[in-house]
Amino acid sequence: SVSCSPADSLKLSSLATPSAASYHTDATDSILAPEPQKLYNDTTITYDIPDMSSEGAGAAVKYVQGKISHAEIRIYGGMGQSKTDYTFTEEGIEVTDTVYQYTKSITEVRSLTEDAYIESANKYTLAYDGRKIKPQADTIPDELFAIFRQNVPFTPYAE
């Protein structure tokens, strides 16, 4: 089960290692900012999300004033890819989910604009525990958000 309230967002749990940036981890695998100072300014960190797709998955996460503010998750597949945007607010997480279908073989795809079409697009809002709260409430946590939460910290440094 996912447990991540706004107050929880300052705590770190099991985290993925950033795939870009010069960060290190301590003995508990909490991500620490580059020495000698913590990241207090805005920054974006890219994370790999393991075991989600054989073609790859990752998240570009923007932190503002030490807290997560936006994330773009891409999951790649042989026939297409999905792009999920999370915008973190006081009321919840605004989600835009778009699935693209390739019109060519994956090895020939150069851009989504020219080589893919939008198969589906959805907008909804999640609570910080991963349940959908808008447009229609749901008691089942969002599976992608659960995986995201297990792999991405809500702050870029340990307190």
Side-chain angles (χ1 to χ4, degrees):
S1 100
V2 177
S3 174
C4 46
S5 67
D8 253 350
S9 68
L10 295 177
K11 298 176 184 174
L12 300 175
S13 57
S14 63
L15 308 173
T17 304
S19 59
S22 58
Y23 293 84
H24 63 280
T25 60
D26 66 9
T28 63
D29 289 330
S30 296
I31 293 180
L32 302 174
E35 294 299 335
Q37 63 187 26
K38 292 181 179 180
L39 291 171
Y40 290 105
N41 296 326
D42 300 353
T43 190
T44 298
I45 302 174
T46 302
Y47 299 91
D48 290 325
I49 301 178
D51 304 323
M52 184 171 277
S53 168
S54 59
E55 284 81 9
V61 180
K62 182 177 182 181
Y63 298 94
V64 176
Q65 297 178 350
K67 295 180 183 177
I68 194 168
S69 69
H70 184 265
E72 179 183 291
I73 303 161
R74 292 201 181 247
I75 303 169
Y76 300 94
M79 302 298 293
Q81 67 176 271
S82 69
K83 176 185 165 208
T84 302
D85 287 297
Y86 291 146
T87 301
F88 295 83
T89 70
E90 291 292 323
E91 294 78 35
I93 304 157
E94 301 295 326
V95 181
T96 302
D97 185 36
T98 308
V99 176
Y100 297 91
Q101 190 72 30
Y102 299 145
T103 58
K104 299 179 176 183
S105 166
I106 190 172
T107 58
E108 298 173 4
V109 173
R110 299 292 172 239
S111 81
L112 290 178
T113 306
E114 296 178 15
D115 303 325
Y117 63 91
I118 295 175
E119 183 176 272
S120 65
N122 295 297
K123 291 186 178 192
Y124 52 96
T125 303
L126 294 175
Y128 277 84
D129 65 2
R131 290 176 300 108
K132 189 184 290 186
I133 54 177
K134 290 180 187 174
Q136 183 176 350
D138 193 344
T139 58
I140 301 170
D142 184 85
E143 185 177 343
L144 177 59
F145 183 73
I147 294 168
F148 173 81
R149 185 65 182 114
Q150 289 173 354
N151 287 280
V152 175
F154 276 28
T155 61
Y157 56 84
E159 290 292 325

